[in-house]
């Protein structure tokens, strides 16, 4: 990683206790906390490979009432430290492992914005220029809805070109865990661990929860990108 890049990375998340209470992937709180810790540790490990300075924001130091306000304040705080570009990621995209950080930093250094779309219209990675950042407009985007990525694209295109990354699935539900545990067949031990979390659940309950969750996601379009 070239050190002359004046780029910082925001890790925007919850603590494991708050994440476990909010997400409730499983019926037991202790199991949810264990899974939340797994996701946080996974994300921390992957972003450490970026070679960039990392600023961690969770509910203990986030400022604002809405998700958009908290994320916008985090960006503003890091931009105020003197960085020209800032990237944000959350803890719920296990495929951060596949990200080419060198490509992202080069794209940002060339003046582009970099966006990583998820499968439901949100974003798992948002890299933007200080010169493009309008705090009020940014915080008022449709955070946690399936039109977010479209709005982010338009927001960035007003001042810069965009580099779009590969689309990945976030882990927002039990359904997402089941899908990732089923389709991932690489040597990555993380996806084998997902199967361990699923074993105690009864198939009928899993299927019902999965169907109910996806119906509501696409009905009312709640999304998180990146998580807070």
């Amino acid at each position: 990683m070239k050190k002359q890049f004046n780029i910082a990375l925001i890790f925007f998340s919850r603590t494991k206790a708050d994440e476990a209470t909010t997400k409730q992937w499983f019926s037991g709180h202790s199991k949810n906390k264990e899974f939340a810790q797994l996701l946080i540790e996974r994300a921390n490990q992957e972003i450490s490979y970026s070679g960039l300075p990392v600023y961690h924001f969770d509910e203990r130091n986030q400022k604002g009432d809405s998700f958009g306000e908290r994320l916008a304040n985090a960006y503003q705080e890091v931009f105020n430290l003197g960085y020209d570009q800032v990237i944000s990621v959350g803890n719920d995209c296990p495929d951060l492992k596949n990200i080419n950080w060198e490509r992202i930093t080069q794209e940002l250094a060339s003046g582009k914005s970099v966006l990583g779309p998820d499968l439901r219209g949100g974003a798992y990675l948002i890299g933007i220029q200080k010169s493009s950042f309008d705090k009020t407009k940014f915080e008022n985007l449709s955070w946690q809805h399936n039109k977010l990525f479209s709005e982010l694209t338009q927001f960035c295109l007003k001042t810069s070109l965009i580099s779009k990354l590969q689309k990945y699935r976030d882990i927002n539900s039990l359904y997402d865990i089941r899908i990732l545990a089923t389709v991932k067949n690489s040597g990555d031990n993380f996806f084998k661990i997902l199967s361990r979390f699923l074993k105690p659940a009864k198939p009928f309950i899993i299927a019902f929860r999965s169907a109910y969750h996806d119906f509501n996601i696409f009905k009312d379009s709640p999304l998180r990108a990146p998580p807070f």
Side-chain angles (χ1 to χ4, degrees):
M1 190 64 62
K2 296 181 179 180
K3 299 301 182 182
Q4 70 265 30
F5 293 151
N6 194 26
I7 303 172
L9 195 155
I10 291 172
F11 181 34
F12 203 72
S13 70
R14 298 184 179 98
T15 59
K16 66 177 181 180
D18 196 46
E19 182 81 331
T21 300
T22 304
K23 283 296 187 70
Q24 298 184 6
W25 303 280
F26 309 102
S27 58
H29 184 67
S30 61
K31 188 174 182 179
N32 282 313
K33 283 181 67 176
E34 182 183 357
F35 189 71
Q37 183 64 28
L38 174 69
L39 292 180
I40 292 169
E41 289 176 353
R42 165 81 170 191
N44 264 316
Q45 178 182 9
E46 299 309 327
I47 63 180
S48 70
Y49 300 140
S50 70
L52 300 172
V54 177
Y55 297 88
H56 190 180
F57 290 83
D58 58 30
E59 66 269 19
R60 295 169 295 189
N61 63 343
Q62 293 171 4
K63 300 178 179 68
D65 297 324
S66 68
F67 175 88
E69 187 179 3
R70 289 190 288 271
L71 184 58
N73 281 332
Y75 268 92
Q76 188 65 71
E77 185 173 330
V78 177
F79 277 130
N80 288 345
L81 295 175
Y83 293 100
D84 296 322
Q85 299 90 18
V86 174
I87 305 165
S88 67
V89 298
N91 63 7
D92 54 2
C93 179
D95 283 301
L96 289 179
K97 180 182 178 65
N98 300 322
I99 286 179
N100 185 332
W101 293 107
E102 184 172 2
R103 173 199 165 191
I104 291 172
T105 55
Q106 289 174 346
E107 297 278 27
L108 285 168
S110 73
K112 294 181 182 179
S113 298
V114 180
L115 301 176
D118 67 27
L119 294 181
R120 297 191 181 102
Y124 63 83
L125 181 147
I126 304 170
I128 55 180
Q129 305 287 326
K130 182 177 183 178
S131 58
S132 303
F133 185 68
D134 183 314
K135 182 175 178 294
T136 300
K137 291 181 179 178
F138 186 78
E139 72 180 55
N140 287 317
L141 296 175
S142 296
W143 300 101
Q144 302 175 292
H145 288 78
N146 63 7
K147 59 182 179 180
L148 173 64
F149 190 80
S150 176
E151 291 187 5
L152 271 171
T153 300
Q154 295 306 311
F155 173 84
C156 293
L157 279 175
K158 291 179 180 179
T159 54
S160 69
L161 296 175
I162 294 176
S163 176
K164 293 184 181 180
L165 305 178
Q166 183 172 338
K167 189 177 290 187
Y168 287 124
R169 177 182 296 276
D170 282 346
I171 296 182
N172 289 320
S173 70
L174 180 60
Y175 174 76
D176 296 320
I177 298 171
R178 284 182 55 79
I179 290 294
L180 287 168
T182 301
V183 303
K184 293 291 182 179
N185 53 13
S186 67
D188 191 336
N189 191 54
F190 174 81
F191 298 102
K192 297 176 182 178
I193 296 175
L194 294 184
S195 299
R196 175 172 61 83
F197 278 90
L198 292 171
K199 284 182 179 179
K202 295 182 179 179
F204 175 78
I205 295 175
I206 290 174
F208 175 79
R209 287 179 178 172
S210 300
Y212 180 80
H213 178 272
D214 263 23
F215 171 78
N216 281 281
I217 276 187
F218 290 105
K219 173 177 177 292
D220 298 322
S221 304
L223 285 169
R224 296 179 53 239
F228 67 105

